[in-house]
Amino acid sequence: MEALLEPAASQPAATVEPPPAQFNFAAYLFHLNETRAAKTAYIDDAGTITYGELEERARRFASALRTLGVHPEERVLLVMLDTVELPIAFLGALHAGVVPVVANTLLTAADYVYMLTHSHARAVIASGALLPAVTQALASAEHDGCQLIVSQPPEGQAVAAPLLNDLLDAATPAAKPAASGADDIAFWLYSSGSTGKPKGTVHTHSNLYWTAELYAKPILGIVESDVVFSAAKLFFAYGLGNGLTFPLSVGATAVLMAERPTADAIFTRLVKHRPTVFYGVPTLYASMLVSPNLPARADVALRVCTSAGEALPREIGERFTAHFGCEILDGIGSTEMLHIFLSNRAGAVEYGTTGRPVPGYEVELRDDAGHLVPDGEVGDLYIKGPSAALMYWSNREKSRATFLGEWIRSGDKYCRLANGCYVYAGRSDDMLKVSGQYVSPVEVEMVLVQHDAVLEAAVVGVDHGGLVKTRAFVVLKREFAPSEILADELKAFVKERLAPHKYPRDIVFIDDLPKTATGKIQRFKLREQS
């Protein structure tokens, strides 16, 4: 038994040189791409921007921030759609030593009131389409003269605020970057706030560097000739790496999309721009595969895809690869770790698992007492690695519960197989105890989606006379209709494949599952319906 409890999942640090002590990530990227000034860095809905233009506009924004009286270490809130203006603002802020706080674009005015107040933002840059919620928030928030700057104003409408492009045109490119340190605060990302107020997760300049060096280059094999496209938006930690850190770290070209990532919107860009690397989430891959407009393999140029946010069902991965001849590298990351730290590998994908630790990160599974669990048993996932956030801003209690010395408690449950692959068992607060035994909702969901009629499924626990029973919410494929017969068939389908106590006692057919902006199923909303 002693041998089973050794932390064999721990990975030695990858042989990557750390950044120097004085390190500004924006300046680092600009230096890397000095010889690519004429190459296209971004393609968005309005056109393209070269690496040279990106650097110049970002350095102009750095100067504009100083003109506006925003000082190093102060915050600017970016409530911006995925257009070229977002990388310009993000990199320009880093260059100036100002801290960009990238916000979810699907929030309410009340959410932005909280973020403006909590971050003490000195300025907010908002896309024109998002102005109603942002202006309402500014009118309600207690702030000390937070300035509004508008990016991409609504066509034909006058706005009573400076326009981003006008500020850029009037500014002189900043000659020198702020003298930032590798461990200085660079930017914030707010957590989803599914269990309370969003947490301002604080990251450093070096965190961005490490995700590119440990994951993007060795795991994705991303290179200068790649064209990348992320369905996950830049306000999501996953999307920020996908669409900014990774392509710019090798001189690749990134495609940005402002609209919602529907299957048809994705198909349009896969065919038009022919990206070689695509980053998605499981629910999107599922909807793509059932769409009648799914492109043929010959119409796209995909060489590798990734998935995160939720566990990727085996059946979805296998069907996608069979159709496109391209593997999906399922992995898990977090806002706290900035990007993926457990991942499948190209040529060695094991669908139904999250793969193995990314070299440079260490992973442990622990029980409630903090002891390592043996292979085959479910434990709480802990991670250690150089891209870990510093803290949650102004939230000592939550910081102490999550940042435990060098380790981060993820809040996820996992099981490690004998071959070293990890299998997701759900969030710690989603685990169910049925008939005195733990049930992973994800395990039941993975079985349900193997049925020919099921597109998506989510499992929650409901109270039956003081006892917890499982209830499955099921989205059917368009060619199937709800019925009691089908519900009984699904229950039997699960019974045949899992232990008897795990099958769902109730099946509720539903048109759509509630999800966060990053594609995660909001099980708490389903529990509220039960």
Side-chain angles (χ1 to χ4, degrees):
M1 179 63 74
E2 285 293 323
L4 289 174
L5 298 180
E6 287 297 315
S10 296
Q11 298 291 311
T15 54
V16 176
E17 286 295 320
Q22 184 167 323
F23 181 73
N24 181 296
F25 187 71
Y28 164 75
L29 289 181
F30 298 155
H31 176 70
L32 279 181
N33 294 300
E34 281 178 343
T35 61
R36 301 185 180 101
K39 185 182 178 185
T40 299
Y42 282 104
I43 303 168
D44 71 2
D45 300 334
T48 64
I49 188 171
T50 66
Y51 271 95
E53 292 166 337
L54 175 65
E55 176 180 351
E56 182 192 20
R57 301 296 274 180
R59 289 170 54 210
R60 284 177 181 269
F61 185 65
S63 289
L65 286 172
R66 291 167 186 164
T67 301
L68 292 169
V70 183
H71 302 105
E73 299 186 11
E74 293 180 332
R75 271 75 65 192
V76 294
L77 188 67
L78 307 184
V79 189
M80 305 175 72
L81 300 174
D82 276 22
T83 66
V84 297
E85 285 78 15
L86 180 45
I88 287 170
F90 184 85
L91 294 171
L94 294 187
H95 192 275
V98 172
V99 179
V101 181
V102 190
N104 187 328
T105 59
L106 303 176
L107 300 179
T108 65
D111 295 313
Y112 295 133
V113 168
Y114 172 77
M115 291 179 179
L116 286 166
T117 305
H118 179 253
S119 68
H120 299 286
R122 293 296 311 281
V124 54
I125 298 91
S127 295
L130 307 173
L131 275 179
V134 173
T135 53
Q136 184 181 341
L138 282 168
S140 304
E142 294 183 9
H143 60 82
D144 185 19
C146 180
Q147 304 167 79
L148 172 63
I149 301 165
V150 178
S151 170
Q152 295 187 317
E155 189 172 349
Q157 295 184 31
V159 293
L163 300 182
L164 176 61
N165 282 331
D166 288 348
L167 292 176
L168 297 180
D169 290 341
T172 301
K176 292 183 179 180
S180 304
D183 291 334
D184 282 352
I185 294 173
F187 67 102
W188 298 8
L189 295 170
Y190 274 101
S191 68
S192 61
S194 59
T195 56
K197 290 292 186 183
K199 299 181 289 292
T201 310
V202 179
H203 279 284
T204 69
H205 284 268
S206 65
N207 289 165
L208 294 158
Y209 170 87
W210 283 115
T211 59
E213 295 300 317
L214 297 181
Y215 174 78
K217 295 178 183 179
I219 304 298
L220 289 182
I222 190 168
V223 293
E224 181 179 1
S225 59
D226 278 317
V227 176
V228 308
F229 175 38
S230 177
K233 300 299 186 181
L234 290 169
F235 64 73
F236 183 22
Y238 177 48
L240 184 67
N242 299 342
L244 191 149
T245 311
F246 299 169
L248 300 188
S249 70
V250 296
T253 297
V255 177
L256 297 179
M257 180 177 74
E259 67 181 288
R260 190 168 65 90
T262 62
D264 283 345
I266 298 300
F267 297 155
T268 297
R269 285 141 182 101
L270 291 182
V271 172
K272 180 178 180 180
H273 300 302
R274 296 182 66 80
T276 53
V277 181
F278 175 67
Y279 312 89
V281 295
T283 54
L284 177 59
Y285 286 117
S287 64
M288 290 167 63
L289 287 169
V290 298
S291 171
N293 300 321
L294 184 69
R297 181 186 297 193
D299 293 332
V300 303
L302 297 173
R303 70 166 183 82
V304 68
C305 296
T306 70
S307 182
E310 293 273 2
L312 180 73
R314 178 191 301 272
E315 185 251 357
I316 298 298
E318 290 175 346
R319 285 175 54 205
F320 189 92
T321 297
H323 181 84
F324 286 113
C326 169
E327 293 176 319
I328 301 176
L329 308 186
D330 190 24
I332 183 174
S334 68
T335 306
E336 293 77 11
M337 294 303 295
L338 192 54
H339 214 275
I340 289 172
F341 50 82
L342 266 178
S343 179
N344 275 274
R345 309 291 200 276
V349 168
E350 299 208 24
Y351 286 127
T353 81
T354 316
R356 297 172 171 82
V358 171
Y361 293 92
E362 296 181 39
V363 171
E364 290 184 355
L365 300 183
R366 305 178 188 174
D367 62 20
D368 292 342
H371 302 134
L372 298 175
V373 301
D375 288 352
E377 290 190 13
V378 173
D380 292 301
L381 180 68
Y382 289 72
I383 319 103
K384 180 168 70 173
S387 64
L390 293 175
M391 60 181 162
Y392 299 131
W393 185 263
S394 191
N395 195 332
R396 182 183 295 254
E397 180 183 358
K398 293 289 187 182
S399 292
R400 284 179 167 176
T402 301
F403 301 96
L404 308 174
E406 293 184 286
W407 292 90
I408 281 182
R409 182 185 315 191
S410 72
D412 296 294
K413 294 278 190 181
Y414 262 89
C415 170
R416 191 179 70 181
L417 304 179
N419 65 1
C421 286
Y422 286 72
V423 177
Y424 184 58
R427 294 289 295 172
S428 298
D429 49 8
D430 286 331
M431 291 292 287
L432 308 173
K433 204 164 193 179
V434 179
S435 301
Q437 302 177 74
Y438 278 111
V439 174
S440 163
V442 173
E443 183 182 21
V444 182
E445 293 161 8
M446 289 289 193
V447 172
L448 282 167
V449 296
Q450 293 174 28
H451 191 281
D452 290 341
V454 177
L455 177 62
E456 293 182 291
V459 172
V460 299
V462 295
D463 189 308
H464 277 256
L467 298 175
V468 175
K469 302 294 182 184
T470 49
R471 172 172 292 170
F473 290 83
V474 173
V475 179
L476 295 175
K477 295 176 182 175
R478 60 168 54 89
E479 62 267 32
F480 292 89
S483 69
E484 289 188 19
I485 293 175
L486 179 55
D488 290 339
E489 182 180 324
L490 292 176
K491 293 177 186 178
F493 187 80
V494 176
K495 277 185 180 180
E496 292 170 0
R497 290 159 176 79
L498 296 177
H501 70 280
K502 296 182 179 181
Y503 87 93
R505 271 44 171 194
D506 299 315
I507 302 285
V508 177
F509 296 107
I510 190 171
D511 291 335
D512 292 292
L513 296 176
K515 299 185 182 76
T516 68
T518 55
K520 294 182 179 180
I521 297 170
Q522 295 175 308
R523 290 178 179 82
F524 72 94
K525 290 188 176 181
L526 297 174
R527 285 193 288 268
E528 291 171 356
Q529 297 178 27
S530 299

